[in-house]
Amino acid sequence: MSIVQDQVKKVIKNVFVAEKENTLQLSEILFTDTIKAVVPLTEKKINWNEISTKEKREKFISEISLQKDEENKIDGEYLLLIPGGVDAHVHFNTPGFEFREDIEHGSYAAACGGNTTIIDMPCTSLPPVTCKENLYNKLEAVKKRSLIDYAFFGGVRGNDFETGLDIKKQIYQLADAGVAGFKAYLISGMETFTDLTKKEMLQVAKWIYETGKPLLVHSEDKNLVLSRQKKLQLKKRNDWKAYCESRDVKAETEAVKTMIDITRKTKCKIHIVHLSSKEALELVRTAKNDGLSISAETCPHYLYFTQKDFENDVIRNYLKTAPPIKSTEDRGALWQGLKDGTISFITTDHAGCNPNLEKSSNNFWEIYGGIPGVEHRVQFLFSEGFLKGKLTLQKTIELLSCNSADYFKLRQKGSITTGKDADFALINLWSSEKIEADKMLSKGKYTPFEGITFNALVGDVYLSGKRIIKNKNQCQSELLGKFIKYNN
Ligand SMILES: [Zn+2]
């Protein structure tokens, strides 16, 4: 019965689908679990300027001759329809540190935020996803608990070098099992997932190169950070400035240089996670121009805040993450990096906690570093990127969905074209919403974006042709999310 129903073709009418730059096409989408056709409803393409205000949009709608006899079609209400967001960097912590975040809360928050796929990090699970047995353990733990589709990164940790495990074999087996890439740290604060030395990183890159998958690296230089931290702590400094001094731009650039050197030597695809500074961005830009296999992502917090925001004691502790937020100049450069393609996509590095327990210390070193942002990413980029004229509509959607789906070979994702999974979200660009922690769906209800208004809303969300979110509510009794393998 359900198989037959799944194959019944559905139609969503009256949606704007983005095309090149800032043009759109009023369309209807025919779909089952995959997209069957994207049918234009008017001959003429529309420029965003023609519908950019509520009034212009009303006028546009009033001039369209509506067809009758369409009761069996879903009304898209003249909203923008985008491919479901792909957030390629989240910490949902199942199984493991679930007192901070878990797959149920995380995937629900992600879905309400317009995402239909996440890629979860290996380091905040217990056991961490460092071998195929641990991956299978994780797959079992998340089964029937996710509202949206998920892929996983494998991890390589220093602990396994110490105990003499066959890391090469672990990498190959994880690659065969379908992980989307491998995560490692040049500096880590986790006992259960320690960092690699530069020498180990080089060796690991050689092995990962053989798998064809990318190596994702937290890039801050350990020696620099720890030596400074020690000096600052001896001086009894435990304020936010001390933390930022210990992890400054140089800490990031030194690590990025290390990784550029490694990709030059090994040809391994290297991806710098959560890039935060102008100088590091320029290193990536030059390396890319030299033809090296290097890429980078950044996150909404680096694009919105500067260190001046640490002076605001309401959000100070919420804003702590690593690497720390930088300056106005760095922030501007990151926007430019998005625009010119140096930065490939936007992730959230979603990492929540119970703020009462772990975000309340007066000692900044002790505060948990992590921001839960998975539900704000899509509306953030439409509001602060597209609607403020920093990015085109096409670029905004690429940064939210297409580019990470491409990079991590999630071939059914990231595009509104025939044959792809019918994963999409409706976006209302004519309404606004004030961000309030109380309304958050993540387990940890806090955000540095508290009180900020975004001029974009996420509406209904569809996964594999089924509506999973309506009015921020889950509308399927079953959790339909499934494991998506990297597909070479
Ligand atoms: Zn992370």
Side-chain angles (χ1 to χ4, degrees):
M1 175 91 176
S2 74
I3 292 165
V4 176
Q5 271 183 359
D6 280 353
Q7 296 316 314
V8 172
K9 210 177 273 176
K10 291 177 243 183
V11 182
I12 183 164
K13 64 175 180 177
N14 300 336
V15 289
F16 293 110
V17 176
E19 300 209 336
K20 284 249 175 300
E21 303 284 330
N22 286 325
T23 59
L24 308 103
Q25 180 84 61
L26 186 68
S27 305
E28 61 182 28
I29 316 284
L30 283 62
F31 60 98
T32 55
D33 55 342
T34 58
I35 296 172
K36 297 297 172 195
V38 182
V39 184
L41 295 177
T42 56
E43 268 178 44
K44 195 175 156 282
K45 292 190 200 304
I46 308 150
N47 188 287
W48 167 248
N49 285 330
E50 296 171 54
I51 52 165
S52 59
T53 65
K54 274 184 189 165
E55 296 72 28
K56 286 181 183 178
R57 177 169 165 269
E58 287 302 317
K59 186 168 175 283
F60 174 86
I61 295 169
S62 69
E63 286 167 4
I64 295 268
S65 54
L66 292 168
Q67 291 167 335
K68 299 261 159 32
D69 192 25
E70 290 189 321
E71 279 146 31
N72 52 350
K73 293 184 181 176
I74 305 158
D75 190 357
E77 295 172 350
Y78 299 91
L79 299 175
L80 173 71
L81 182 140
I82 64 162
V86 178
D87 189 344
H89 187 158
V90 304
H91 297 266
F92 283 175
N93 302 3
T94 296
F97 300 93
E98 292 182 82
F99 59 92
R100 292 187 176 128
E101 181 62 291
D102 59 34
I103 189 92
E104 282 94 351
H105 287 84
S107 68
Y108 185 19
C112 284
N115 302 286
T116 50
T117 307
I118 52 94
I119 315 183
D120 192 53
M121 285 294 168
C123 42
T124 39
S125 299
L126 278 180
V129 186
T130 49
C131 60
K132 78 168 194 294
E133 291 75 15
N134 294 359
L135 174 69
Y136 294 149
N137 181 70
K138 178 153 177 143
L139 285 168
E140 205 48 44
V142 301
K143 216 178 210 171
K144 299 200 168 98
R145 289 174 65 188
S146 179
L147 191 55
I148 60 172
D149 287 349
Y150 46 88
F152 293 129
F153 292 118
V156 188
R157 57 176 187 166
N159 316 54
D160 290 350
F161 277 91
E162 280 163 29
T163 50
L165 289 176
D166 190 343
I167 297 168
K168 183 180 175 183
K169 186 171 150 200
Q170 295 188 162
I171 289 172
Y172 289 177
Q173 290 185 339
L174 279 169
D176 285 343
V179 295
F182 294 88
K183 173 81 182 289
Y185 287 73
L186 281 168
I187 179 168
S188 154
M190 295 166 288
E191 280 169 31
T192 50
F193 199 100
T194 57
D195 37 57
L196 304 183
T197 64
K198 291 174 191 175
K199 205 173 144 203
E200 287 162 352
M201 190 68 83
L202 176 67
Q203 179 59 66
V204 164
K206 286 180 187 165
W207 291 329
I208 293 176
Y209 169 73
E210 299 294 330
T211 71
K213 301 192 188 200
L215 166 59
L216 292 80
V217 183
H218 179 119
S219 299
E220 287 180 293
D221 189 275
K222 187 179 182 177
N223 291 339
L224 269 182
V225 173
L226 293 189
S227 61
R228 285 164 175 170
Q229 187 174 331
K230 204 171 154 195
K231 275 186 209 155
L232 289 156
Q233 285 175 330
L234 279 173
K235 287 189 209 160
K236 302 267 185 286
R237 291 275 310 276
N238 57 15
D239 52 298
W240 67 264
K241 276 187 186 155
Y243 175 75
C244 292
E245 272 172 46
S246 73
R247 291 172 175 260
D248 66 355
V249 171
K250 186 147 193 259
E252 187 172 62
T253 53
E254 286 305 306
V256 169
K257 281 180 197 163
T258 301
M259 294 319 303
I260 290 173
D261 189 44
I262 289 177
T263 187
R264 188 175 278 120
K265 284 179 179 147
T266 63
K267 297 197 168 57
C268 181
K269 281 165 80 175
I270 306 276
H271 181 72
I272 309 293
V273 292
H274 43 53
L275 195 84
S276 71
S277 69
K278 181 184 176 188
E279 266 187 64
L281 175 85
E282 273 157 18
L283 290 171
V284 171
R285 186 180 283 129
T286 308
K288 281 178 90 143
N289 288 341
D290 289 349
L292 299 178
S293 297
I294 193 149
S295 59
E297 66 185 35
T298 193
C299 315
H301 35 274
Y302 300 111
L303 294 163
Y304 194 86
F305 299 101
T306 66
Q307 287 187 5
K308 193 143 181 46
D309 292 298
F310 283 118
E311 288 168 14
N312 176 356
D313 60 9
V314 177
I315 62 164
R316 176 184 301 144
N317 295 357
Y318 299 164
L319 200 51
K320 182 181 173 183
T321 188
I325 311 298
K326 302 288 191 300
S327 70
T328 311
E329 200 186 350
D330 293 300
R331 181 178 63 182
L334 294 175
W335 279 110
Q336 184 55 39
L338 293 174
K339 203 172 166 179
D340 67 25
T342 308
I343 299 174
S344 304
F345 41 86
I346 303 256
T347 64
T348 57
D349 190 13
H350 176 94
C353 68
N354 178 337
N356 299 326
L357 298 177
E358 294 187 288
K359 285 284 192 185
S360 60
S361 173
N362 289 322
N363 181 340
F364 209 77
W365 301 109
E366 286 173 0
I367 291 165
Y368 175 76
I371 298 173
V374 77
E375 60 204 276
H376 301 136
R377 185 184 70 118
V378 171
Q379 68 181 143
F380 165 82
L381 204 64
F382 276 106
S383 177
E384 303 308 300
F386 172 57
L387 292 175
K388 293 201 170 160
K390 294 192 180 97
L391 303 169
T392 64
L393 186 58
Q394 181 187 6
K395 190 69 169 179
T396 304
I397 296 169
E398 285 170 359
L399 289 165
L400 289 170
S401 181
C402 324
N403 290 358
S404 43
D406 274 358
Y407 188 77
F408 296 111
K409 306 263 166 56
L410 311 174
R411 298 215 187 275
Q412 283 301 105
K413 308 295 184 188
S415 165
I416 302 297
T417 47
T418 305
K420 300 279 180 176
D421 285 354
D423 292 359
F424 43 80
L426 293 172
I427 307 295
N428 186 339
L429 297 170
W430 303 270
S431 193
S432 59
E433 182 181 31
K434 190 160 106 180
I435 300 303
E436 288 169 283
D438 290 353
K439 292 186 195 153
M440 283 173 70
L441 300 160
S442 308
K443 202 165 192 177
K445 299 191 192 321
Y446 67 93
T447 171
F449 290 103
E450 179 75 44
I452 290 164
T453 295
F454 289 142
N455 296 315
L457 298 183
V458 176
D460 293 0
V461 179
Y462 288 74
L463 177 78
S464 300
K466 293 203 171 97
R467 182 156 57 189
I468 54 167
I469 296 293
K470 185 173 177 60
N471 301 327
K472 298 228 177 222
N473 289 312
Q474 191 177 313
C475 47
Q476 290 287 332
S477 51
E478 250 182 297
L479 296 171
L480 301 168
K482 57 194 178 302
F483 176 50
I484 306 295
K485 285 184 180 184
Y486 177 108
N487 192 350
N488 255 332

